[in-house]
Amino acid sequence: MGGMKQALVTGASRGIGRAILLELAAQGYAVLVHYGKNRELAEAVAEEARALGAPRVAVFGADLTDPAAAPALVEAAETELGGLSVLVNNAGVTRDNLLLRMKDADWDAVIATDLTAVFRLTREAIKRMVRRRYGRIINIASVSGILGTPGQANYAAAKAGLIGFTRSVAKEYAKRGITVNAVAPGFIETDMTAALPEAVQREYLAQIPAGRFGRPEEVAKLVAFLAGEDAGYINGQTICVDGGLTPC
């Protein structure tokens, strides 16, 4: 499917999403920068993508918990980028708390953004990909969805659900030239990990065989490979990027 290089990355204004979008831009993809609230950050990422040589760059804000967001985002990619060959479902939220303190709203918010929105976006994108008989969908899961993490029952459930969703959809559309894979980052250097108390960071580091946190760019390189034509026989997989922490 030579020439089809358009990517939509959700939650692309910072952290892992930003790194993924910039890596794809550097590899010549037309890119759509999705953001939830901070347009200024998203516009800055768009400027970086242009500087890296992306042939087309668009910015689109949407609340992914709104059912209307998925069709609007995919339509924006089709219109602004000239098509959609790669969907990276990266956007996610956390509402951490121990189970007995976790409110229904904390559960609902995480499931809505981290799982339900992925279902809607994937369904919408696959409609177009099936017609073209080509597509790459990469879902950003988490080692929390494999190992479980205290205080993250909602997040771990959403990410575990994402892994099961990935496997099922991969099997449904493999014969249409579409692959669906998940990437499960471990502890990556982002705003979220930087905010952890030093003692907690030391405790996490002690568990990681590599002895360090990962970099967003290390996740982005894998996502970019899975997005390419050379990864056509990798399907339904969950690949951990975690320094050896998890038996994926």
Side-chain angles (χ1 to χ4, degrees):
M1 189 67 186
M4 277 273 310
K5 292 186 73 165
Q6 307 100 349
L8 160 58
V9 182
T10 65
S13 63
R14 59 182 182 165
I16 291 172
R18 172 184 172 275
I20 291 168
L21 186 123
L22 294 178
E23 179 63 32
L24 292 172
Q27 293 194 18
Y29 284 80
V31 289
L32 192 153
V33 185
H34 161 263
Y35 69 95
K37 290 175 182 169
N38 195 326
R39 185 172 184 93
E40 196 176 327
L41 270 183
E43 291 286 3
V45 174
E47 279 307 308
E48 289 182 79
R50 290 185 188 100
L52 287 167
R56 293 190 192 182
V57 181
V59 176
F60 196 95
D63 173 2
L64 295 183
T65 63
D66 179 355
L73 259 172
V74 171
E75 185 55 40
E78 291 281 339
T79 305
E80 300 291 331
L81 308 182
L84 181 62
S85 57
V86 177
L87 169 64
V88 182
N89 287 304
N90 165 77
V93 298
T94 55
R95 297 283 186 276
D96 296 355
N97 220 327
L98 295 174
L99 182 67
L100 291 179
R101 296 178 188 163
M102 189 175 286
K103 296 179 171 59
D104 283 10
D106 298 329
W107 176 273
D108 292 344
V110 171
I111 298 296
T113 301
D114 297 18
L115 186 57
T116 306
V118 174
F119 152 67
R120 289 181 183 138
L121 270 166
T122 302
R123 181 178 60 183
E124 201 63 37
I126 275 186
K127 287 179 193 173
R128 317 296 181 105
M129 292 175 176
V130 162
R131 291 203 292 269
R132 294 173 178 132
R133 301 191 71 81
Y134 183 86
R136 298 281 184 265
I137 295 169
I138 300 113
N139 298 321
I140 307 303
S142 168
V143 296
S144 291
I146 299 166
L147 298 174
T149 311
Q152 287 195 320
N154 48 4
Y155 185 73
K159 295 301 187 179
L162 193 55
I163 290 168
F165 175 79
T166 296
R167 289 178 181 146
S168 295
V169 180
K171 289 181 176 177
E172 287 183 23
Y173 294 98
K175 288 182 179 174
R176 304 295 187 93
I178 298 166
T179 65
V180 188
N181 291 291
V183 172
F187 297 103
I188 306 296
E189 290 171 354
T190 61
D191 295 344
M192 205 183 292
T193 50
L196 293 169
E198 233 176 274
V200 175
Q201 291 194 36
R202 281 198 301 273
E203 188 183 326
Y204 284 150
L205 281 169
Q207 300 171 44
I208 301 168
R212 67 173 178 87
F213 290 151
R215 297 185 302 276
E217 293 74 20
E218 291 176 304
V219 179
K221 292 282 186 186
L222 173 60
V223 173
F225 175 72
L226 292 173
E229 292 191 37
D230 290 344
Y233 205 55
I234 301 171
N235 201 14
Q237 302 305 304
T238 299
I239 304 171
C240 293
V241 185
D242 65 356
L245 178 68
T246 314
C248 256

